Amino acid sequence: MVKELQLRVTLKEEEHHDILVIKSAQALDVDKEDITGVKVLRKSIDARKPKIIFNYKVAVYIREVLPKSSEYQFDYKDVSKAKPIHIIGFGPAGMYAALRCIELGFKPIVLERGKNVQDRRRDLRAINQQHFVNEDSNYCFGEGGAGTYSDGKLYTRSLKRGDVRRIFENLVYHGATDQILVDAHPHIGTNKLPKVVQNIRETILKYGGEVHFETRVTDFVIKNNKIQAIQLNGNNEMPADRVILATGHSARDIFYLLHEKEIALEAKSFAMGVRVEHPQHIIDSIQYHCSGERHELLPAASYSLVQQVNDRGVYSFCMCPGGFIVPAATANGEVVVNGMSPSKRNNLYANSGIVVEIDVNRDLPKYEQFGALKGLEYQKNLERMAFTAGGRSQVAPAQRLTDFVEGKLSADLNPTSYQPGLNSAPLHSLMPKLIGSRLRKGFTAFGQKMKGYYTAEANIVGVESRTSSPVCIPRNERLEHPQIQGLFPCGEGGGYAGGIVSAAMDGERCAEAAITGL
């Protein structure tokens, strides 16, 4: 017999290795020896009150053998001689589109401008140490996309777009820990993701798909409003009639290319701001109501904050407990910061984007001349400002949090996890008023919500500007561009996802749409 239960376990009780068996026996009124196993289905932590509670959903096996860990199976077929589907971009959307094509019996041909996960490491080192940005291989571009080397958080609210469980199970199938199937806010970690991504590539190749690295798409050959071919690296043409465009939110050259070819684009609202970095122990003490080090059974604490300021949302984005701030620029002459955490989340600092909503229809009147690209141009200007304020390298402009809110230049800065380094700059006056004034009020409100959050021990670091795409590539109910037959905008770059999981689900949907009629 198998019974499902909801259990509440205190922090003190959690120290007992068999507490779930004890609690299950009590709840079901059975003998402890009759329980052959307890499988955790879901786990979360409730730290809203000083008495911390672990919430468990479990399956209790009573006088029945506990099954071995599930072996997830996917019906991958030999597609080496099947009809091709061309996929541009090998981030989560592109990877899952390719895997879904193989399940459906079609051959994915993946074209990725960047390098494989191993070779990307050298280019990331060059950004951090030599301050040089390879425009095709960086924290945003390359095998696995932006998520591979910037955290791998898997939380999504996009529950109606596809099967979230299936996405997670496929990650476990390719080497991710099965803990992601249990945790309320699952996370793989930037140290573990590269191997998972490599395994996905090997599956695609094993079943007859193709993956071409350092292959930039430079033009589309279109006749009678239908895709005919793709131009690669400025010269070679590859015939193609079904193209999934999964290039991510930072592939500005694709947006410019489509705009120049008068292919319909739409300006899209997005958000920009800064990264804020606290010592992790401050966030732990606030969230866990403790002084000193947190209990060893508790993970590095995170937070989620939102405040309405002058009719715009100010909110935390991509919060990284026990993490690092990384340089996420995709071109020289700009500074962009992002966050990541290793799987153990054991770094000394906590960082989060704190961003302000930008309404492209109301907030950017001076950029109307750029039409659908007005948000992109506004984004670029902010990144150039950060480059100049940082000292014209990948050093980032920064300010103590309290100095930013109080409007004064910081005499010195706190230690940081950001490898290229920080330069004290008056971000309170350099940021556009649209963003800066709302951030200052937002931080004040956050300090009231989380006592101790507003502190001179925190730095703000500029700029967090790549939260999502500032451009939408429209598509119809068939997920196809309404103007160009055979072109399927997909994932974050198209404006249809906001993270790894939602992008992966959209990739699967676009694969299913692209094969229709073949």
Side-chain angles (χ1 to χ4, degrees):
M1 180 169 57
V2 181
K3 292 278 191 179
E4 287 193 4
L5 283 178
Q6 301 283 348
L7 299 176
R8 289 170 55 82
V9 178
T10 66
L11 183 56
K12 186 67 176 175
E13 291 171 332
E14 183 76 5
E15 296 176 355
H16 298 281
H17 72 279
D18 60 347
I19 189 61
L20 296 181
V21 174
I22 296 170
K23 287 268 188 179
S24 297
Q26 292 172 346
L28 296 172
D29 195 21
V30 299
D31 199 291
K32 179 184 170 185
E33 280 66 38
D34 288 337
I35 296 178
T36 49
V38 177
K39 181 179 180 181
V40 177
L41 304 177
R42 198 73 168 161
K43 179 182 179 182
S44 63
I45 298 174
D46 185 349
R48 291 173 294 180
K49 297 179 180 179
K51 186 177 182 180
I52 295 172
I53 299 294
F54 291 79
N55 290 312
Y56 285 95
K57 180 181 179 182
V58 299
V60 184
Y61 289 77
I62 303 168
R63 295 183 295 277
E64 188 166 323
V65 177
L66 183 71
K68 295 180 180 179
S69 58
S70 301
E71 294 292 335
Y72 303 109
Q73 298 296 325
F74 295 87
D75 186 22
Y76 297 131
K77 303 174 176 65
D78 181 357
V79 296
S80 55
K81 297 180 181 178
K83 291 182 178 180
I85 302 291
H86 291 78
I87 300 168
I88 305 174
F90 201 43
M95 288 190 299
Y96 272 80
L99 292 172
R100 188 68 180 131
C101 282
I102 293 172
E103 286 186 286
L104 297 169
F106 292 82
K107 179 177 182 173
I109 299 177
V110 180
L111 309 170
E112 167 57 51
R113 69 192 296 167
K115 300 178 183 179
N116 65 44
V117 286
Q118 293 84 4
D119 292 343
R120 277 179 82 182
R121 293 180 191 274
R122 286 191 290 273
D123 296 313
L124 302 187
R125 193 178 304 118
I127 300 173
N128 281 294
Q129 296 179 4
Q130 285 88 48
H131 300 230
F132 174 77
V133 181
N134 181 326
E135 297 189 5
D136 289 317
S137 179
N138 44 61
Y139 277 95
C140 289
F141 298 147
E143 184 175 22
T148 302
Y149 287 109
S150 54
D151 206 45
K153 285 183 286 296
L154 303 176
Y155 183 63
T156 183
R157 294 183 177 89
S158 305
L159 302 179
K160 295 181 180 179
R161 297 187 187 181
D163 188 345
V164 174
R165 178 80 180 190
R166 171 186 160 83
I167 301 300
F168 285 10
E169 288 179 357
N170 211 328
L171 288 168
V172 174
Y173 176 83
H174 285 101
T177 171
D178 59 7
Q179 191 65 29
I180 66 173
L181 301 170
V182 172
D183 290 341
H185 293 271
H187 167 252
I188 296 176
T190 194
N191 54 320
K192 300 289 184 68
L193 262 170
K195 183 60 178 175
V196 175
V197 168
Q198 180 182 330
N199 290 342
I200 290 174
R201 181 223 310 162
E202 290 172 355
T203 291
I204 292 168
L205 297 177
K206 175 182 176 181
Y207 289 95
E210 298 179 14
V211 181
H212 301 270
F213 293 112
E214 298 182 71
T215 304
R216 183 203 283 245
V217 172
T218 48
D219 202 359
F220 298 103
V221 179
I222 299 170
K223 293 182 181 178
N224 299 321
N225 292 328
K226 188 179 188 305
I227 287 280
Q228 300 289 320
I230 306 167
Q231 184 190 79
L232 306 175
N233 297 329
N235 44 49
N236 298 329
E237 286 189 4
M238 178 180 284
D241 61 0
R242 301 293 173 95
V243 175
I244 296 174
L245 188 61
T247 46
H249 59 42
S250 291
R252 290 170 172 167
D253 56 323
I254 293 294
F255 296 137
Y256 285 124
L257 173 62
L258 297 176
H259 190 63
E260 289 165 8
K261 297 179 81 69
E262 298 184 347
I263 294 172
L265 298 172
E266 299 170 358
K268 174 180 159 292
S269 294
F270 58 114
M272 293 197 295
V274 294
R275 281 259 145 196
V276 61
E277 183 172 61
H278 291 78
Q280 180 63 50
H281 70 82
I282 291 180
I283 304 303
D284 289 340
S285 66
I286 297 169
Q287 299 296 71
Y288 293 141
H289 321 281
C290 64
S291 57
E293 291 188 7
R294 67 178 183 272
H295 194 284
E296 62 181 5
L297 293 177
L298 293 172
S302 63
Y303 60 83
S304 178
L305 292 166
V306 62
Q307 180 74 25
Q308 286 293 311
V309 179
N310 299 336
D311 198 31
R312 294 289 181 278
V314 179
Y315 59 92
S316 57
F317 170 83
C318 184
M319 197 276 144
C320 300
F324 304 83
I325 299 178
V326 297
T330 53
N332 292 289
E334 63 190 31
V335 165
V336 180
V337 292
N338 195 0
M340 51 149 273
S341 297
S343 58
K344 292 183 179 180
R345 291 180 162 171
N346 57 356
N347 191 39
L348 294 175
Y349 302 98
N351 73 80
S352 178
I354 302 294
V355 295
V356 177
E357 290 179 331
I358 309 294
D359 186 329
V360 292
N361 296 318
R362 292 193 287 169
D363 294 338
L364 309 179
K366 295 181 181 179
Y367 290 78
E368 287 298 330
Q369 60 181 307
F370 298 107
L373 302 183
K374 57 186 175 182
L376 189 155
E377 294 297 330
Y378 185 78
Q379 182 188 64
K380 283 174 63 176
N381 280 348
L382 195 68
E383 294 166 4
R384 288 168 180 158
M385 176 278 290
F387 177 75
T388 302
R392 307 188 69 80
S393 68
Q394 285 303 302
V395 171
Q399 206 168 356
R400 287 182 184 254
L401 173 57
T402 49
D403 290 341
F404 174 74
V405 173
E406 294 167 15
K408 59 185 181 183
L409 182 67
S410 296
D412 57 7
L413 297 168
N414 297 299
T416 181
S417 65
Y418 183 70
Q419 271 195 348
L422 304 179
N423 181 50
S424 179
L427 286 170
H428 63 275
S429 60
L430 293 173
M431 298 285 285
K433 186 177 180 181
L434 167 69
I435 298 173
S437 64
R438 287 181 170 88
L439 284 176
R440 293 164 76 180
K441 292 178 181 178
F443 279 124
T444 301
F446 296 160
Q448 294 168 352
K449 293 180 179 183
M450 289 178 62
K451 303 300 182 185
Y453 182 90
Y454 181 72
T455 172
E457 291 186 65
N459 290 330
I460 65 160
V461 183
V463 289
E464 170 72 76
S465 54
R466 306 287 179 94
T467 59
S468 66
S469 174
V471 180
C472 175
I473 308 174
R475 66 189 189 190
N476 57 27
E477 67 279 0
R478 298 185 303 276
L479 308 189
E480 192 172 31
H481 193 283
Q483 185 183 342
I484 307 299
Q485 187 179 346
L487 181 65
F488 296 83
C490 181
E492 290 204 42
Y496 301 102
I500 291 173
V501 177
S502 56
M505 289 191 291
D506 201 56
E508 290 201 331
R509 292 179 66 214
C510 285
E512 292 163 3
I515 69 164
T516 302
L518 287 178

